[in-house]
């Protein structure tokens, strides 16, 4: 059995002291433990995390396009990355989990850790207002934002998808032109990206075939990373 | 040619007066008009809109689950709904569009209107801070939130998807059980929802087959609404 620690230590590492500690307790409660669990808070917390990171990246990278900012954000807030942040806070030690989840190592599961972290952001928003939540999120992600190398992070998504699949010994994706409309310079291309072995089919539109392929590859990669957060399939 | 009106009238209906009117101008500028366009602001504005609506729904509907809140939000912030709000503000009259977009009726196009509205929310956040953006968004969406009837809005997604397809004379979706793991009460079902005619394939996991089917149907419906915002295909 893991021991649930008093939350004062957690508030200290978060840099935020709850006016109503019940809010923090709820954010740390998995649905397997109680009906007063953290899923609704997670919904709100996910949204404030996305907003704060969007603004941070907008200001940090004035030269990047909307699509590039969106990809950088996805890399910062995906489950694995959030579970890393949760790990630094030792969030697993504070979670309330049901018997079954406890036995199966739920306090180390990336999805449970990531959800609880987001729920904490939502709880801070309700407890202390937006600017407090923004301050905590900004502090937790500052070093990660500072480390972003756009050239590396924004590596062409087709290359990224190919590397992801090769590392897992999967067949390479296929790109199919589904539609082509209009005349230059207002042409529209729609491309489907198929990863047959893994039942992934994404599609995207763009002003060129290459652009549409890159976008479809980016969507496929995001989906695969979400479905298979680990290094192995 | 549409006449671009001075933005004072728009600020009046928005209920927000920009300290730096250039920010509003940029939010109203489509990429076809200038390289100083609204797409980056839209990225930030979309995120603050999602956060403010998430919090509003959380407080308004304490009995709803995370998934239900998420579906209500999707219905409030989808392109059609945003274009409606933009229409009430007569946003089309204020847009700066390139020659081609002007000629093809760009100032009435739902995607252009919705994007500009989101960009305005982002611009207000930068210009006046979060609470001003929150105030404007809350005011614009208050009547829509008040009108939500959860029973109707949360109509079972499989029914919703079926009705959507029937209204467009499309074949009905198929649900395929892709995976089943674990033992009751910790079973996990993964279901694929296929809408063959429209190249849609979504998948979802859930604690029951029915739950996974509903979630996959919900994802398919969201995708279809995004791809085909109108009443016809």
């Amino acid at each position: 059995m893991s021991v649930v620690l008093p939350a004062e230590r957690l508030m200290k590492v978060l840099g935020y002291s709850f006016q109503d500690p019940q809010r923090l307790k709820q954010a740390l409660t998995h649905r397997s433990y109680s009906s007063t669990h953290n899923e609704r808070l997670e919904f709100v917390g996910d949204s404030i995390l996305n907003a704060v990171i969007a603004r941070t990246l907008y200001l940090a990278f004035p030269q990047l396009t909307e699509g590039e900012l969106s990809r950088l954000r996805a890399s910062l807030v995906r489950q694995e990355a959030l579970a890393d942040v949760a790990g630094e806070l030792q969030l697993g030690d504070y979670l309330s989990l049901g018997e079954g989840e406890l036995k199966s190592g739920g306090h180390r599961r990336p999805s449970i850790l990531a959800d609880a972290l987001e729920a904490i952001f939502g709880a801070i928003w309700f407890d202390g207002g937006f600017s407090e939540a923004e301050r905590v999120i900004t502090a937790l992600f500052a070093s990660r934002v500072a480390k972003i190398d756009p050239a590396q992070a924004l590596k062409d998504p087709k290359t990224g998808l190919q590397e992801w699949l090769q590392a897992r010994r999967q067949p390479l994706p296929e790109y199919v032109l589904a539609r082509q409309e209009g005349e230059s310079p207002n042409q529209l291309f729609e491309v489907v990206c198929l990863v047959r072995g893994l039942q992934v089919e994404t599609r995207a539109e763009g002003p060129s075939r290459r652009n549409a392929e890159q976008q479809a590859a980016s969507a496929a990669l995001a989906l695969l990373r979400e479905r298979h957060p680990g290094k192995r399939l």
Side-chain angles (χ1 to χ4, degrees), chain A residues 30-180:
Chain A
H30 187 255
R31 64 172 303 140
S32 61
Y33 184 82
S34 162
S35 61
T36 311
H37 55 67
N38 62 11
E39 290 190 356
R40 284 168 42 90
L41 281 173
E42 180 215 332
F43 169 69
V44 176
D46 170 85
S47 77
I48 190 177
L49 172 64
N50 272 287
V52 169
I53 299 291
R55 186 177 200 269
T56 302
L57 294 174
Y58 179 99
L59 295 169
F61 299 105
Q63 77 285 15
L64 298 187
T65 67
E66 176 194 21
E68 290 166 340
L69 294 174
S70 178
R71 281 163 56 202
L72 287 188
R73 180 175 63 182
S75 73
L76 286 170
V77 304
R78 67 170 195 262
Q79 188 179 290
E80 270 175 312
L82 296 185
D84 272 356
V85 175
E88 289 173 11
L89 299 171
Q90 299 185 280
L91 217 56
D93 295 344
Y94 301 91
L95 295 176
S96 296
L97 299 172
E99 196 81 13
E101 287 293 350
L102 265 181
K103 283 187 188 152
S104 62
H107 53 281
R108 286 188 305 271
R109 188 165 308 140
S111 60
I112 289 180
L113 289 167
D115 290 354
L117 182 66
E118 290 185 329
I120 289 175
F121 298 149
I124 297 176
W125 190 3
F126 284 114
D127 193 73
F130 181 85
S131 60
E132 285 299 290
E134 183 180 34
R135 183 179 59 73
V136 170
I137 293 169
T138 304
L140 288 177
F141 286 86
S143 65
R144 289 169 169 82
V145 172
K147 260 188 248 154
I148 291 176
D149 171 0
Q152 178 61 25
L154 298 172
K155 190 158 54 175
D156 143 23
K158 283 179 71 176
T159 306
L161 176 60
Q162 183 177 325
E163 289 175 1
W164 194 98
L165 291 167
Q166 282 172 337
R168 287 156 186 84
R169 300 171 187 281
Q170 293 295 312
L172 294 185
E174 296 161 47
Y175 297 92
V176 181
L177 182 64
R179 197 160 52 99
Q180 181 175 353

